[in-house]
Amino acid sequence: MSARAIFGLQVLLSLVGYTLIARWYVAPRLAALPLPAALTPLLLLHVFRHLGMVFLVPTVVGPALSPAFAVPAAYGDLLAALLALLAIAALRREWGPAIALVWIFNVVGLVDLINAFYQGLTHNVQLGPAYYIPTYAVPALVVTHVMIFAMLVRRAR
């Protein structure tokens, strides 16, 4: 099996696993909560997206990682983490534009992940020890983005 096929299989299985956890355990518990309280734990996961800054550390990802991939991926993750923190603060303080901030975070964060995957696959990016980020961490982030969108749309009705 090729390295690319193994990568794809790992991402797919992580997506399936996180989706089952979300559907069977997380979503039912969050459904009973008011929207701000239900969004907060999902946003908290994204606070740790600062982990993407590791793409800028050559001793972790190797010196061959293209800055054309590394810089947007790293700073996109940092921006998503900061937006998640801002959205959490707004939700907790019951600030008027809190839901709008969640929407902004969710769009920016998901676009960042999609772009990083696209750039990584297009340019055959090799991440070295940071390989666990797209195969293990990113699928959890994608599932929570989908959950946030679903909550925002469903509860807006």
Side-chain angles (χ1 to χ4, degrees), residues 113-136:
L113 293 176
I114 292 167
N115 182 56
F117 258 110
Y118 174 77
Q119 295 299 324
L121 292 172
T122 301
H123 301 300
N124 197 28
V125 167
Q126 303 298 314
L127 296 174
Y131 183 84
Y132 66 90
I133 294 174
T135 58
Y136 183 73

Side-chain angles (χ1 to χ4, degrees), residues 11-35:
V11 171
L12 177 64
L13 290 175
S14 289
L15 272 171
V16 169
Y18 288 125
T19 299
L20 294 175
I21 292 167
R23 179 172 293 246
W24 294 342
Y25 298 99
V26 179
R29 284 157 183 82
L30 295 180
L33 299 175
L35 184 58

Side-chain angles (χ1 to χ4, degrees), residues 38-116:
L39 290 169
T40 300
L42 299 176
L43 289 164
L44 280 169
L45 181 63
H46 292 269
V47 169
F48 296 96
R49 283 178 70 167
H50 61 79
L51 182 65
M53 295 299 288
V54 76
F55 295 141
L56 300 177
V57 182
T59 55
V60 176
V61 294
L65 186 61
S66 167
F69 167 81
V71 172
Y75 286 108
D77 279 343
L78 180 60
L79 176 60
L82 295 173
L83 286 171
L85 277 171
L86 182 61
I88 291 166
L91 288 168
R92 302 285 294 175
R93 295 177 189 264
E94 299 178 4
W95 190 36
I99 298 300
L101 283 171
V102 174
W103 273 102
I104 291 167
F105 151 76
N106 218 36
V107 170
V108 168
L110 187 57
V111 167
D112 170 61
L113 293 176
I114 292 167
N115 182 56

